[in-house]
Amino acid sequence: MPYPHGGLARHANLPPGERLRVLLVEDDEGDAFLVGELLAETNSMIDLLVATSLREARQRISDVDCVLLDLGLPDAQGLDGLRQVLEMSSGAAVCVLTGRTDEHLGVVAVAEGAQDYLVKGQVDGVLLTRALRYAVERKRADENARRLREVELRQAESARLERGLLPQPLMTTDQVAVHTFYRPGRHAALIGGDFFDVVQTHPDRLDLIVGDVCGHGVDEAALGVELRVAWRALVLARVPDDEVLPALEQVLMSERRLQEIFATVAAVRLDLAANRATVRLAGHPPPLLLSGGRVVPVPAPGGLLLGVRPRRPIAYDLEFDTDDWSLLMYTDGLIEGRVGAGNERLDVPGLSGLLDEPANRSVSLPELPAWLVGRAERLNGGALADDVAMLLVSRGGGR
């Protein structure tokens, strides 16, 4: 029960949540009475509970905001009692209230973790109330700062890990240029369920992939990384072209946490010597070809999603008419934004229209992916909700 002289009167202008619960650990009944009177005379809005020993304090310390501790107790003396209270107090502030006027002891007590050091007979009700409330606020500020620091450290560690998982295109050729764009839909994340990669296995051969794992969580992001790494390993191992995506599907089906999770993929193999490409789609939007001042979707068969019903995607051979072309590969997060106030989506025709706009002629190829995202967001009336990944591979002038 609260101490009967502890300022228990309710104040009509303050909600109950503004009251503080203070546990006084004091074996001297007269001193405990005096503390209660000091708090009561200032209408302190403090509920005071009293324990006469550390053993009793251990039973009453839960849900208190502050502990007011005497350093001379039957079962603990001096700093040993303070250390025990600090250990058991969890998130509560701790103030020392003692008859000792030893300044050095006060400094040591604060260094040990006490929020304040008060001397009996030198504090009145106003000073005591203010000290208790300040101690609680300092403790809360310290706890918030500690939690914030822990969050910042975790975020920094996650960012380092995620940066390490982002792909580094494995290519040496200067016959084509590859420009990438990546932005996850998850707030404050660096990677999402979308993935891309570029691997060169021959002076005239370049493999590219853009994929999208359904979902937006950390598990989907991890699965996207697994699929990208698996695809790179398959390509570097010279697995036959028609077997790469079926093998990738096996990885997906064995690693996904739910049977309903699927992925879409667009894979392209460039034969630079022959100036041609082979495109394979598994439920993914088609790449866009920029050439001769025109923008057209590559008419490759759409294929089935990976993870639904295993089936080899059908290869489509694309012949480039000139040595000036670009191939844009992207995930559906770019084309799922709305156009105007209705429910119409940008979709592939809308994206082709953006690339056909005269305004993009002045946009350099390295800046083109980010420019497209900006235009899509303006049409959407805000940020795009899904992950966005893009690969823009260009030869010659690129258009």
Side-chain angles (χ1 to χ4, degrees):
M1 297 294 292
Y3 191 71
H5 300 283
L8 296 178
R10 297 282 178 175
H11 194 292
N13 296 327
L14 288 176
E18 292 292 321
R19 301 183 67 88
L20 294 184
R21 287 173 56 85
V22 174
L23 175 64
L24 172 63
V25 187
E26 171 64 72
D27 65 329
D28 188 307
E29 184 177 351
D31 286 347
F33 177 84
L34 178 60
V35 170
E37 289 298 306
L38 289 175
L39 295 177
E41 71 183 18
T42 60
N43 196 19
S44 61
M45 299 300 295
I46 291 176
D47 295 338
L48 184 67
L49 296 88
V50 176
T52 59
S53 65
L54 284 186
R55 180 180 178 182
E56 188 178 351
R58 195 179 301 273
Q59 299 171 352
R60 295 191 172 190
I61 202 168
S62 60
D63 299 325
V64 301
D65 300 298
C66 183
V67 178
L68 192 56
L69 175 68
D70 179 30
L71 293 182
L73 298 171
D75 50 356
Q77 291 291 321
L79 294 177
D80 177 61
L82 174 61
R83 296 186 185 105
Q84 292 188 53
V85 169
L86 288 171
E87 184 178 349
M88 71 174 76
S89 64
S90 182
V94 177
C95 287
V96 172
L97 180 63
T98 180
R100 306 180 187 182
T101 58
D102 187 343
E103 184 177 343
H104 174 71
L105 181 61
V107 172
V108 175
V110 172
E112 288 281 345
Q115 266 67 48
D116 209 339
Y117 183 90
L118 305 172
V119 179
K120 295 177 182 178
Q122 296 183 8
V123 293
D124 57 15
V126 174
L127 180 59
L128 180 58
T129 300
R130 183 184 300 127
L132 293 174
R133 289 196 174 273
Y134 285 2
V136 170
E137 292 305 318
R138 282 196 297 272
K139 181 65 176 180
R140 290 173 180 172
D142 291 344
E143 286 294 307
N144 290 336
R146 181 184 60 79
R147 293 192 187 101
L148 179 60
R149 180 59 179 162
E150 289 177 355
V151 170
E152 289 174 344
L153 289 174
R154 285 196 297 268
Q155 288 179 339
E157 182 178 4
S158 297
R160 286 194 299 270
L161 290 172
E162 291 187 7
R163 275 193 294 270
L165 295 173
L166 288 173
Q168 300 296 323
L170 185 61
M171 57 178 289
T172 58
T173 183
D174 58 1
Q175 298 183 62
V176 294
V178 174
H179 309 292
T180 65
F181 181 93
Y182 194 92
R183 191 175 68 190
R186 288 187 299 132
H187 176 66
L190 292 179
I191 58 174
D194 290 7
F195 59 95
F196 67 86
D197 207 350
V198 181
V199 173
Q200 182 179 355
T201 55
H202 185 274
D204 292 322
R205 173 174 153 175
L206 206 62
D207 285 273
L208 307 97
I209 190 171
V210 169
D212 182 1
V213 177
C214 71
H216 306 283
V218 176
D219 290 331
E220 289 75 21
L223 183 54
V225 172
E226 290 183 79
L227 295 179
R228 180 186 66 78
V229 173
W231 175 84
R232 175 176 283 203
L234 291 166
V235 171
L236 291 174
R238 306 296 179 95
V239 172
D241 297 356
D242 287 334
E243 302 297 330
V244 171
L245 292 187
L248 196 65
E249 186 168 38
Q250 290 181 1
V251 174
L252 167 67
M253 295 174 70
S254 65
E255 296 296 328
R256 62 188 176 184
R257 61 184 177 86
L258 297 174
Q259 191 173 0
E260 296 78 16
I261 292 179
F262 61 86
T264 68
V265 165
V268 173
R269 169 159 295 167
L270 291 177
D271 184 340
L272 300 177
N275 201 30
R276 61 190 297 272
T278 302
V279 180
R280 292 177 173 85
L281 301 180
H284 203 83
L288 299 182
L289 175 62
L290 291 71
S291 180
R294 298 176 57 244
V295 180
V296 294
V298 175
L304 292 178
L305 307 167
L306 297 185
V308 177
R309 182 161 59 91
R311 181 180 177 183
R312 286 185 175 86
I314 299 174
Y316 177 83
D317 292 326
L318 173 65
E319 303 284 347
F320 299 111
D321 296 332
T322 71
D323 288 333
D324 295 300
W325 52 263
S326 289
L327 201 61
L328 177 66
M329 303 169 66
Y330 53 93
T331 53
D332 60 6
L334 179 62
I335 60 175
E336 286 185 342
R338 288 184 173 83
V339 179
N343 293 322
E344 183 183 354
R345 304 288 178 173
L346 180 64
D347 216 342
V348 178
L351 180 60
S352 301
L354 291 181
L355 286 168
D356 245 345
E357 290 181 357
N360 85 66
R361 306 296 178 186
S362 60
V363 179
S364 66
L365 291 174
E367 297 173 344
L368 188 58
W371 180 86
L372 285 172
V373 171
R375 288 288 288 113
E377 288 181 334
R378 283 196 292 275
L379 292 173
N380 186 52
L384 300 173
D386 202 358
D387 305 333
V388 177
M390 275 186 274
L391 273 179
L392 179 66
V393 55
S394 303
R395 190 169 201 173
R399 290 169 172 157

PDB file of all heavy atoms in Angstrom, residues 143-155:
ATOM      1  N   GLU A 143      17.592   5.909 -21.091  1.00  0.00           N
ATOM      2  CA  GLU A 143      17.082   4.675 -21.681  1.00  0.00           C
ATOM      3  C   GLU A 143      16.749   4.871 -23.157  1.00  0.00           C
ATOM      4  O   GLU A 143      17.049   4.015 -23.991  1.00  0.00           O
ATOM      5  CB  GLU A 143      15.829   4.215 -20.931  1.00  0.00           C
ATOM      6  CG  GLU A 143      16.103   3.618 -19.564  1.00  0.00           C
ATOM      7  CD  GLU A 143      16.876   2.318 -19.662  1.00  0.00           C
ATOM      8  OE1 GLU A 143      16.451   1.423 -20.394  1.00  0.00           O
ATOM      9  OE2 GLU A 143      17.939   2.214 -19.020  1.00  0.00           O
ATOM     10  N   ASN A 144      16.139   6.011 -23.489  1.00  0.00           N
ATOM     11  CA  ASN A 144      15.824   6.289 -24.886  1.00  0.00           C
ATOM     12  C   ASN A 144      17.095   6.413 -25.719  1.00  0.00           C
ATOM     13  O   ASN A 144      17.164   5.927 -26.851  1.00  0.00           O
ATOM     14  CB  ASN A 144      14.995   7.565 -25.007  1.00  0.00           C
ATOM     15  CG  ASN A 144      13.591   7.396 -24.471  1.00  0.00           C
ATOM     16  OD1 ASN A 144      13.075   6.274 -24.418  1.00  0.00           O
ATOM     17  ND2 ASN A 144      12.956   8.476 -24.071  1.00  0.00           N
ATOM     18  N   ALA A 145      18.109   7.078 -25.163  1.00  0.00           N
ATOM     19  CA  ALA A 145      19.378   7.218 -25.878  1.00  0.00           C
ATOM     20  C   ALA A 145      20.035   5.854 -26.084  1.00  0.00           C
ATOM     21  O   ALA A 145      20.591   5.575 -27.144  1.00  0.00           O
ATOM     22  CB  ALA A 145      20.315   8.140 -25.117  1.00  0.00           C
ATOM     23  N   ARG A 146      19.946   4.997 -25.060  1.00  0.00           N
ATOM     24  CA  ARG A 146      20.528   3.654 -25.189  1.00  0.00           C
ATOM     25  C   ARG A 146      19.805   2.850 -26.259  1.00  0.00           C
ATOM     26  O   ARG A 146      20.439   2.202 -27.097  1.00  0.00           O
ATOM     27  CB  ARG A 146      20.452   2.932 -23.848  1.00  0.00           C
ATOM     28  CG  ARG A 146      21.057   1.524 -23.867  1.00  0.00           C
ATOM     29  CD  ARG A 146      20.855   0.828 -22.544  1.00  0.00           C
ATOM     30  NE  ARG A 146      19.455   0.674 -22.203  1.00  0.00           N
ATOM     31  CZ  ARG A 146      18.674  -0.279 -22.717  1.00  0.00           C
ATOM     32  NH1 ARG A 146      19.173  -1.147 -23.603  1.00  0.00           N
ATOM     33  NH2 ARG A 146      17.408  -0.362 -22.368  1.00  0.00           N
ATOM     34  N   ARG A 147      18.467   2.897 -26.233  1.00  0.00           N
ATOM     35  CA  ARG A 147      17.701   2.155 -27.243  1.00  0.00           C
ATOM     36  C   ARG A 147      17.975   2.695 -28.640  1.00  0.00           C
ATOM     37  O   ARG A 147      18.092   1.928 -29.607  1.00  0.00           O
ATOM     38  CB  ARG A 147      16.206   2.243 -26.931  1.00  0.00           C
ATOM     39  CG  ARG A 147      15.797   1.526 -25.649  1.00  0.00           C
ATOM     40  CD  ARG A 147      14.288   1.416 -25.566  1.00  0.00           C
ATOM     41  NE  ARG A 147      13.868   0.872 -24.283  1.00  0.00           N
ATOM     42  CZ  ARG A 147      13.396   1.597 -23.281  1.00  0.00           C
ATOM     43  NH1 ARG A 147      13.282   2.921 -23.431  1.00  0.00           N
ATOM     44  NH2 ARG A 147      13.030   1.036 -22.148  1.00  0.00           N
ATOM     45  N   LEU A 148      18.043   4.033 -28.754  1.00  0.00           N
ATOM     46  CA  LEU A 148      18.329   4.635 -30.048  1.00  0.00           C
ATOM     47  C   LEU A 148      19.690   4.188 -30.556  1.00  0.00           C
ATOM     48  O   LEU A 148      19.854   3.869 -31.744  1.00  0.00           O
ATOM     49  CB  LEU A 148      18.266   6.156 -29.946  1.00  0.00           C
ATOM     50  CG  LEU A 148      18.582   6.934 -31.232  1.00  0.00           C
ATOM     51  CD1 LEU A 148      17.605   6.566 -32.341  1.00  0.00           C
ATOM     52  CD2 LEU A 148      18.568   8.430 -30.970  1.00  0.00           C
ATOM     53  N   ARG A 149      20.664   4.165 -29.661  1.00  0.00           N
ATOM     54  CA  ARG A 149      22.005   3.726 -30.056  1.00  0.00           C
ATOM     55  C   ARG A 149      21.992   2.274 -30.497  1.00  0.00           C
ATOM     56  O   ARG A 149      22.642   1.917 -31.496  1.00  0.00           O
ATOM     57  CB  ARG A 149      22.960   3.929 -28.872  1.00  0.00           C
ATOM     58  CG  ARG A 149      24.398   3.500 -29.165  1.00  0.00           C
ATOM     59  CD  ARG A 149      24.971   4.267 -30.331  1.00  0.00           C
ATOM     60  NE  ARG A 149      26.347   3.897 -30.603  1.00  0.00           N
ATOM     61  CZ  ARG A 149      26.972   4.145 -31.738  1.00  0.00           C
ATOM     62  NH1 ARG A 149      26.349   4.772 -32.724  1.00  0.00           N
ATOM     63  NH2 ARG A 149      28.220   3.791 -31.895  1.00  0.00           N
ATOM     64  N   GLU A 150      21.254   1.440 -29.788  1.00  0.00           N
ATOM     65  CA  GLU A 150      21.163   0.034 -30.175  1.00  0.00           C
ATOM     66  C   GLU A 150      20.515  -0.113 -31.550  1.00  0.00           C
ATOM     67  O   GLU A 150      20.975  -0.902 -32.378  1.00  0.00           O
ATOM     68  CB  GLU A 150      20.364  -0.746 -29.131  1.00  0.00           C
ATOM     69  CG  GLU A 150      21.092  -0.933 -27.811  1.00  0.00           C
ATOM     70  CD  GLU A 150      20.241  -1.644 -26.776  1.00  0.00           C
ATOM     71  OE1 GLU A 150      19.049  -1.893 -27.070  1.00  0.00           O
ATOM     72  OE2 GLU A 150      20.770  -1.960 -25.698  1.00  0.00           O
ATOM     73  N   VAL A 151      19.461   0.678 -31.777  1.00  0.00           N
ATOM     74  CA  VAL A 151      18.799   0.631 -33.090  1.00  0.00           C
ATOM     75  C   VAL A 151      19.748   1.097 -34.187  1.00  0.00           C
ATOM     76  O   VAL A 151      19.833   0.500 -35.261  1.00  0.00           O
ATOM     77  CB  VAL A 151      17.518   1.492 -33.067  1.00  0.00           C
ATOM     78  CG1 VAL A 151      16.966   1.660 -34.485  1.00  0.00           C
ATOM     79  CG2 VAL A 151      16.471   0.857 -32.168  1.00  0.00           C
ATOM     80  N   GLU A 152      20.478   2.182 -33.910  1.00  0.00           N
ATOM     81  CA  GLU A 152      21.422   2.703 -34.901  1.00  0.00           C
ATOM     82  C   GLU A 152      22.512   1.686 -35.208  1.00  0.00           C
ATOM     83  O   GLU A 152      22.903   1.513 -36.375  1.00  0.00           O
ATOM     84  CB  GLU A 152      22.038   4.011 -34.400  1.00  0.00           C
ATOM     85  CG  GLU A 152      21.066   5.179 -34.383  1.00  0.00           C
ATOM     86  CD  GLU A 152      21.667   6.419 -33.750  1.00  0.00           C
ATOM     87  OE1 GLU A 152      22.711   6.292 -33.052  1.00  0.00           O
ATOM     88  OE2 GLU A 152      21.111   7.514 -33.956  1.00  0.00           O
ATOM     89  N   LEU A 153      23.002   1.008 -34.179  1.00  0.00           N
ATOM     90  CA  LEU A 153      24.035  -0.013 -34.403  1.00  0.00           C
ATOM     91  C   LEU A 153      23.488  -1.173 -35.217  1.00  0.00           C
ATOM     92  O   LEU A 153      24.167  -1.690 -36.120  1.00  0.00           O
ATOM     93  CB  LEU A 153      24.571  -0.514 -33.061  1.00  0.00           C
ATOM     94  CG  LEU A 153      25.436   0.477 -32.266  1.00  0.00           C
ATOM     95  CD1 LEU A 153      25.772  -0.084 -30.898  1.00  0.00           C
ATOM     96  CD2 LEU A 153      26.713   0.810 -33.037  1.00  0.00           C
ATOM     97  N   ARG A 154      22.249  -1.597 -34.895  1.00  0.00           N
ATOM     98  CA  ARG A 154      21.643  -2.694 -35.669  1.00  0.00           C
ATOM     99  C   ARG A 154      21.413  -2.275 -37.115  1.00  0.00           C
ATOM    100  O   ARG A 154      21.648  -3.054 -38.045  1.00  0.00           O
ATOM    101  CB  ARG A 154      20.327  -3.133 -35.030  1.00  0.00           C
ATOM    102  CG  ARG A 154      20.509  -3.962 -33.770  1.00  0.00           C
ATOM    103  CD  ARG A 154      19.222  -4.687 -33.419  1.00  0.00           C
ATOM    104  NE  ARG A 154      18.154  -3.770 -33.108  1.00  0.00           N
ATOM    105  CZ  ARG A 154      17.867  -3.324 -31.889  1.00  0.00           C
ATOM    106  NH1 ARG A 154      18.607  -3.719 -30.875  1.00  0.00           N
ATOM    107  NH2 ARG A 154      16.853  -2.516 -31.692  1.00  0.00           N
ATOM    108  N   GLN A 155      20.932  -1.032 -37.303  1.00  0.00           N
ATOM    109  CA  GLN A 155      20.697  -0.561 -38.665  1.00  0.00           C
ATOM    110  C   GLN A 155      22.001  -0.456 -39.446  1.00  0.00           C
ATOM    111  O   GLN A 155      22.058  -0.795 -40.630  1.00  0.00           O
ATOM    112  CB  GLN A 155      19.985   0.793 -38.640  1.00  0.00           C
ATOM    113  CG  GLN A 155      18.526   0.706 -38.205  1.00  0.00           C
ATOM    114  CD  GLN A 155      17.858   2.057 -38.177  1.00  0.00           C
ATOM    115  OE1 GLN A 155      18.508   3.102 -38.101  1.00  0.00           O
ATOM    116  NE2 GLN A 155      16.533   2.067 -38.228  1.00  0.00           N
TER     117      GLN A 155
END
